[in-house]
Amino acid sequence: MNDTDKHKQKSQKLKENVDAGIAKAQIERGVFLVITGNGKGKSTAGFGTVTRAVGHGQKAAVAQFIKGTWECGERNLLEEHGVPFSVMNTGFTWDTQDRESDITAATIVWNDIKKYLSDPDYQVVLLDELTYMLSFDYLDKQEVLDAITNRPENQTVIVTGRGAITELRDLADTVSVIKDEKHAYTAGIKARQGIDW
Ligand code: ATP
Ligand code: MG
């Protein structure tokens, strides 16, 4: 067998495997995605998915925990396309150093986003940086897990942030852990508009 035939045989086998995998995936429902790890790209992946859904005319909602006072390019764009945002009205928690006010701010965002988690018109709900709210005990863990579990069947929920707790990973259909191999910041390069926010 020459190289061309070998390649043909190999790709045919690969295609059969891919087709078999596609045929096996028959369940149609929204999924729960967790994007965690220390590498860059968690929030951008979450917002990328929201953009993808909105591009298909679907409805999406976004909650941003932690970084309320930062400008956010995705928010500027997506709000213009009818995506509601709930944003914490305090800055980084390490700026405020005030646990009680952080809890209050997180609870306001949670109470606001909850209505979308029970609304079947919303196909995607992004809970950006939610992981910290659970690891810091700012929000009631069981209430959050229950709301995600009991969401409408066609709704996809995305949670981003470092250090996702085991319960979130266990509940998720898809878990991606983004690894930090290197980051420009550690070489002294400043965070950039359009790239980092
Ligand atoms: P992004 O919003 O760029 O997708 P992220 O959501 O994965 O990043 P976060 O932990 O939310 O990462 O970080 C918030 C900010 O810190 C962003 O400006 C991001 O670019 C930057 N950042 C992310 N990973 C690292 C890292 N390993 N070292 C330094 N800065 C980082
Ligand atoms: Mg992020």
Side-chain angles (χ1 to χ4, degrees), residues 50-113:
V50 168
T51 309
R52 187 177 271 184
V54 171
H56 287 292
Q58 298 178 10
K59 279 188 162 187
V62 175
Q64 284 183 293
F65 295 93
I66 296 216
K67 330 181 167 175
T69 55
W70 264 38
E71 210 207 328
C72 168
E74 293 94 335
R75 183 180 181 187
N76 297 344
L77 180 82
L78 290 166
E79 274 187 340
E80 281 184 10
H81 290 268
V83 177
F85 271 64
S86 285
V87 174
M88 255 169 85
N89 62 2
T90 60
F92 284 101
T93 133
W94 40 94
D95 278 346
T96 61
Q97 300 280 308
D98 182 342
R99 187 176 159 81
E100 283 316 307
S101 79
D102 281 347
I103 290 175
T104 305
T107 305
I108 291 170
V109 172
W110 173 247
N111 285 336
D112 192 45
I113 201 72

Side-chain angles (χ1 to χ4, degrees), residues 37-45 67 70 74 92 128-129 132 160-162 178 180 182-183 185-186 191 195-197:
N38 293 330
K40 173 175 167 61
K42 300 175 289 295
S43 295
T44 34
K67 330 181 167 175
W70 264 38
E74 293 94 335
F92 284 101
D128 189 37
E129 320 297 350
Y132 309 100
T160 74
R162 299 176 190 211
I178 298 187
D180 181 32
K182 60 165 141 170
H183 193 288
Y185 177 73
T186 48
I195 305 299
D196 294 297
W197 76 85

Side-chain angles (χ1 to χ4, degrees), residues 3 25 47 57 62 69 90 104 112 119 129 137 165 174-175 188 192:
D3 278 357
F47 280 113
V62 175
T69 55
T90 60
T104 305
D112 192 45
D119 186 340
E129 320 297 350
D137 265 329
I165 58 170
T174 299
V175 179
R192 288 176 75 76

